[in-house]
Structures are given as C-alpha cells and as structure tokens.
Amino acid sequence: MGGSSMTALRPDLSTRPRANPPRTARPRLSGPVAGVWLAALAVTVLGWIAVAARGGDFLTVTNVVTILQNCVALGLVAVGQSVVILTGSLDLSVAYLISLGTLVAAETMKSGNVLVAVIAVLALCAAVGLANGLIVTGLKVNAFIATLGTAFILRGWIEDNYTGPAGKVPASFQHLGYDRIGPVPVSLFLLLAVAAALWLITHRTRLGHHMYATGGDEHAARLSGVRTRRTVIAAHLLCSLCVGAAALFLAARLGAGAPWAGTEARYDLESIAAVVLGGTALAGGRGGVAGTLGGVLVLAVLDSVFNQLSVDPFFKNVVRGVVIIAAVALYARGRRTPQERTA
C-alpha cells in the first residue's frame, strides 16, 4: 500500500513539459547588408545571362579582374564617405581631392622618392579633412555647403595650376595598380585592409559608438557626454585619408597625375550612391562599411554589364538611378512601424 501510494503520488516524468531547447544563432538573411550582397549576386547572375544571350562571355578572368579593379578606387572613397554619413555629415570635396592627390603624388614621385610622396598625399588629405570638420562643427556651416565650398577651392587651385597630366609615377609604384595574385588584384587587399580598419573603428571602439550616437541624435548624444564636435571632425579626417589612399591607387594606375582623375568618374556622387545602396541612412546613425562594399560591387557589376552590352550612356544612368531609388525605397519600407504600414 505504502509503495503503491508513493508511486501514485510520484509525478509522471513523461508528462512534464519539456524545456525549449536553446536556440542557436542563425545567420541573418535579411536587412540592408545581406540584401545588398544578395542584390550583387543577383545582378551578377542576370548580367551573365544577358551577356551570354548576346553571344558574349561575362565571367572571364579579364572581366572579373576589371570589375575588382574598378571596385578599389570607388570602394576606398565610399567606405570613407560612409563613416562621415554615419555621423550625419557629408563630403562633396572627395572628387577634386582625389584629382589633386594624384597630381601631388606624381609630381613628388618624379624625383623617385615614393615614401615622401605617400606621406605628402596623406598629409594633404588629412589637412583638407580637418578643415572640412572644423568648418562644419566650428563655423556651424551645413556639411553640404561646407564641403561643396572646399570642392570649389580645390577645383580653382587645380584649374589655375594644371592644364593636363603632370608628374610621373615610377614603375615600382605602378605594381600597386596592375599586379595581381591569380584573378585577384593586389590593390583589392588595400581596399579590404582599409575597410576592415574602419569596420573595427566603427564597431569596436568608443569613437565608433560615438559616431552612431552622433548620427542618430546629436543633441541626445551631447547630453550623454559624447563630444560630438570631435566625433564629426574625426569622421571627416578618416574620410579624407581614405580619399588619399584612392588617389595613390589611381596615380599608380594612370602613371601620372590627372586633373580629371576624380571628377571624370564622379566619385563624389558615386560614393554617396554606394553608401545609400549599402543601407546607410543619409540622416546618419544607421549603416556601416560592410553594406557599402556591397553597394560598390553592385555599381561595378552594373557598369561592366552595360559596357559589354554597349548600352547607351544615357540609359545607363537611368537604370542606375532607378536601382538606387528602388533600394532606398525598400530600406525605408522595411523600417516602417506596423502603425505606419496600416495608416
């Protein structure tokens, strides 16, 4: 009796509700970063199909190398631009700064001193970035106007002192622009190194956290003890140093300095387009370097497809504009609240 009653009172272990097993982290396949890289893959596949339908071959080693090389200069500028935009600022002087950087690099390297040329270009770009940051934060000038004014100053200097290519880049430095390891250009490692450094800064340092805070709500960040002025200045400084790296790469590719190196490729607007495609909000506070690299790849692949299909330049710009508007619209729709969606 005692044994049976004890057995009856004992709870049936088989009827106990089992605890939910711990959830393992799964890779996120949504969000702007994943979306832009999936878009890059989709554009590549569609481009390959379109070119193949015209009797061409899209995924050749030569074409892949060209796409990757085209990513380098724009990528260097765009990752720097993304840091500035994260803080809610902007830099429209990058195109003319690239042009001036190639000229300074080539003229300094003409005497054979490569190291001095590299230091001179980075010092010049750092000075321009510092000036932009001080104008924006100290004089309280809107970033659009401030950096546009800087662009006009640089343009005036270039047009007053140069009428064409100048200087000469030694063959030893041109390896940066042309050498490759298999199908991978050596210059791509420069881009990846700069992007990795900026990713670490924005995600693993106090300065990076302050950048997101400043871009998200500058007033609240200031009340929380963030030195927003220093943060914006630092962002402009980092952006200009990235522009300097792009200028050195283009000097290696061109073999000389070129007054049109930055403006002909429209690196000012192209870099902003890549940042926006990568999911970084122009108002600041959201986004990052990883998405920007995806945006750069999308633009580079689109250009390659258009070139192989001999697409009219006007229509090319129309398609690029549609892609950018569609991407921003999708990101904005994804950030809407349920109340906004039902309104």
Side-chain angles (χ1 to χ4, degrees):
M1 288 291 294
S4 60
S5 62
M6 290 296 291
T7 304
L9 293 174
R10 183 179 298 165
D12 186 3
L13 297 179
S14 62
T15 61
R16 284 185 180 179
R18 296 183 179 179
N20 292 328
R23 296 182 179 180
T24 57
R26 297 181 181 178
R28 293 183 62 187
L29 297 179
S30 60
V33 175
V36 71
W37 282 100
L38 289 175
L41 177 61
V43 169
T44 302
V45 173
L46 292 175
W48 171 67
I49 294 173
V51 172
R54 295 282 296 271
D57 193 358
F58 184 69
L59 295 178
T60 62
V61 173
T62 302
N63 197 46
V64 170
V65 170
T66 301
I67 291 173
L68 294 178
Q69 285 178 334
N70 289 340
C71 286
V72 174
L74 177 58
L76 287 169
V77 180
V79 294
Q81 189 80 261
S82 64
V83 173
V84 174
I85 292 177
L86 277 178
T87 65
S89 191
L90 193 69
D91 193 344
L92 293 178
S93 66
V94 295
Y96 287 103
L97 185 55
I98 285 179
S99 298
L100 184 57
T102 64
L103 292 164
V104 171
E107 288 195 314
T108 309
M109 290 183 188
K110 192 175 181 180
S111 61
N113 202 329
V114 173
L115 180 59
V116 172
V118 172
I119 295 174
V121 171
L122 295 180
L124 166 69
C125 293
V128 172
L130 181 62
N132 282 335
L134 290 174
I135 293 171
V136 171
T137 60
L139 300 181
K140 304 298 181 183
V141 179
N142 180 274
F144 182 94
I145 301 301
T147 56
L148 185 62
T150 302
F152 285 146
I153 293 172
L154 296 176
R155 175 184 176 180
W157 173 264
I158 292 172
E159 292 180 349
D160 187 53
N161 291 276
Y162 300 95
T163 57
K168 183 179 180 181
V169 176
S172 60
F173 192 75
Q174 292 186 40
H175 290 301
L176 173 65
Y178 290 95
D179 283 8
R180 67 179 197 232
I181 301 174
V184 181
V186 171
S187 55
L188 186 65
F189 294 105
L190 171 63
L191 170 60
L192 295 178
V194 172
L198 290 182
W199 186 90
L200 288 174
I201 290 173
T202 53
H203 287 80
R204 294 290 185 267
T205 67
R206 179 179 297 180
L207 173 61
H209 299 322
H210 289 178
M211 288 178 179
Y212 279 97
T214 300
D217 190 330
E218 184 176 359
H219 181 66
R222 191 182 300 112
L223 293 178
S224 300
V226 175
R227 295 181 176 180
T228 56
R229 292 181 57 183
R230 292 187 181 183
T231 302
V232 173
I233 291 172
H236 276 281
L237 188 61
L238 288 173
C239 177
S240 293
L241 288 175
C242 291
V243 172
L248 291 169
F249 165 72
L250 288 176
R253 288 284 296 174
L254 299 172
W260 40 260
T263 54
E264 188 175 72
R266 298 174 300 180
Y267 285 119
D268 43 5
L269 300 181
E270 291 285 312
S271 62
I272 295 173
V275 171
V276 171
L277 275 176
T280 298
L282 279 176
R286 288 192 303 269
V289 172
T292 297
L293 289 178
V296 169
L297 183 59
V298 169
L299 294 177
V301 172
L302 279 175
D303 277 343
S304 179
V305 172
F306 291 150
N307 290 336
Q308 291 216 16
L309 296 178
S310 300
V311 175
D312 180 80
F314 172 76
F315 183 71
K316 181 192 302 186
N317 289 329
V318 170
V319 173
R320 288 161 69 91
V322 169
V323 169
I324 294 170
I325 292 172
V328 175
L330 287 174
Y331 296 152
R333 182 179 179 83
R335 288 195 295 265
R336 290 169 63 189
T337 64
Q339 292 79 4
E340 290 175 330
R341 293 173 185 172
T342 57

